[in-house]
Amino acid sequence: GAGVSQSPSNKVTEKGKDVELRCDPISGHTALYWYRQSLGQGLEFLIYFQGNSAPDKSGLPSDRFSAERTGGSVSTLTIQRTQQEDSAVYLCASSLSPLGEVGPYNEQFFGPGTRLTVL
Amino acid sequence: DAKTTQPNSMESNEEEPVHLPCNHSTISGTDYIHWYRQLPSQGPEYVIHGLTSNVNNRMASLAIAEDRKSSTLILHRATLRDAAVYYCILRDRLRGSNYKLTFGKGTLLTVNP
């Protein structure tokens, strides 16, 4: 079946412009995560959506970053007034259920990422 | 954030076993140990996870120390396609009963032909 998809695969923008990154999770997956990965670094957690609950935004680096998830499916990460330090690969992951205390293991399935370059 | 320690890089020869170590001395009693890997220019993919007992699946084996403060991911016969960054991960709590996986820098595995 289809995995997690992200678009665009590459985005080059000028400093100060706004960008929107899209994530299509696996159908039926209730949990959705956004991460970003700077060159040579590990993944940095950004935001987490679970079903219809309010998202956990604790990883967003500044108020220029926001995300929404419509209808419990597609998610959009928006970066306003982009800065050069925003350049990174933005990864989206989904899982069938949350990574909780009990229950079957729910591995995260990652998309291929969007490479954002801010000039 | 939950802390794991891994070597920055390791090297192996094709068709030989590879043992990738991880230290997680602050692990709590209910925490699983998760391993993901990231092939070049791809998103991470799940490899294996375990709690206390050693685990095997089609990709790898996971050996967990008796005190759970360390674990070793074992690739029984490395192939060139196993060249990747391997992440040993504990979870961190978010709001309520939700959790996230905290990825460190991982171990870059190079497989020589």
Side-chain angles (χ1 to χ4, degrees):
Chain A
V4 177
S5 60
Q6 293 185 247
S7 60
S9 54
N10 280 285
K11 176 72 177 179
V12 179
T13 190
E14 293 179 347
K15 177 181 173 181
K17 300 281 189 182
D18 297 352
V19 295
E20 281 190 355
L21 312 179
R22 177 186 168 108
C23 171
D24 283 85
I26 294 173
S27 178
H29 280 195
T30 64
L32 188 148
Y33 303 79
W34 281 97
Y35 300 85
R36 74 175 174 182
Q37 186 171 33
S38 301
L39 189 63
Q41 302 297 310
L43 277 68
E44 175 188 4
F45 166 78
L46 296 178
I47 189 169
Y48 165 65
F49 293 90
Q50 171 51 39
N52 296 319
S53 303
D56 189 306
K57 306 178 184 180
S58 58
L60 294 180
S62 79
D63 58 8
R64 295 186 295 105
F65 288 72
S66 63
E68 62 178 22
R69 188 178 185 192
T70 54
S73 181
V74 172
S75 177
T76 303
L77 177 69
T78 301
I79 309 173
Q80 296 179 310
R81 305 181 302 282
T82 52
Q83 304 294 312
Q84 288 183 331
E85 60 262 29
D86 299 334
S87 296
V89 175
Y90 289 80
L91 291 154
C92 171
S94 70
S95 63
L96 187 60
S97 296
L99 187 69
E101 293 275 8
V102 294
Y105 186 74
N106 289 292
E107 65 183 272
Q108 292 186 17
F109 293 84
F110 283 80
T114 294
R115 181 175 298 278
L116 174 65
T117 303
V118 182
L119 301 176
Chain B
D1 280 354
K3 183 71 174 176
T4 61
T5 305
Q6 300 177 253
N8 291 331
S9 62
M10 291 186 67
E11 205 166 320
S12 174
N13 295 320
E14 202 174 6
E15 297 191 4
E16 290 184 355
V18 182
H19 291 231
L20 298 164
C22 180
N23 288 320
H24 30 77
S25 58
T26 61
I27 192 170
S28 73
T30 59
D31 273 343
Y32 280 89
I33 302 147
H34 314 257
W35 284 82
Y36 280 70
R37 74 178 185 180
Q38 187 171 22
L39 279 66
S41 301
Q42 295 187 27
E45 63 176 358
Y46 167 78
V47 177
I48 200 166
H49 74 285
L51 186 62
T52 55
S53 305
N54 294 345
V55 184
N56 300 291
N57 67 19
R58 63 175 180 82
M59 289 182 71
S61 296
L62 179 60
I64 301 172
E66 196 169 332
D67 64 4
R68 300 204 334 116
K69 297 189 177 201
S70 65
S71 62
T72 302
L73 180 70
I74 302 165
L75 307 179
H76 295 285
R77 290 182 68 215
T79 69
L80 297 178
R81 289 173 295 180
D82 291 322
V85 177
Y86 286 78
Y87 298 98
C88 169
I89 301 162
L90 302 181
R91 67 180 183 183
D92 276 307
R93 194 153 197 151
L94 294 172
R95 184 185 63 232
S97 59
N98 297 315
Y99 294 85
K100 62 171 179 172
L101 296 179
T102 299
F103 288 74
K105 293 188 179 181
T107 296
L108 175 63
L109 175 66
T110 302
V111 180
N112 300 313

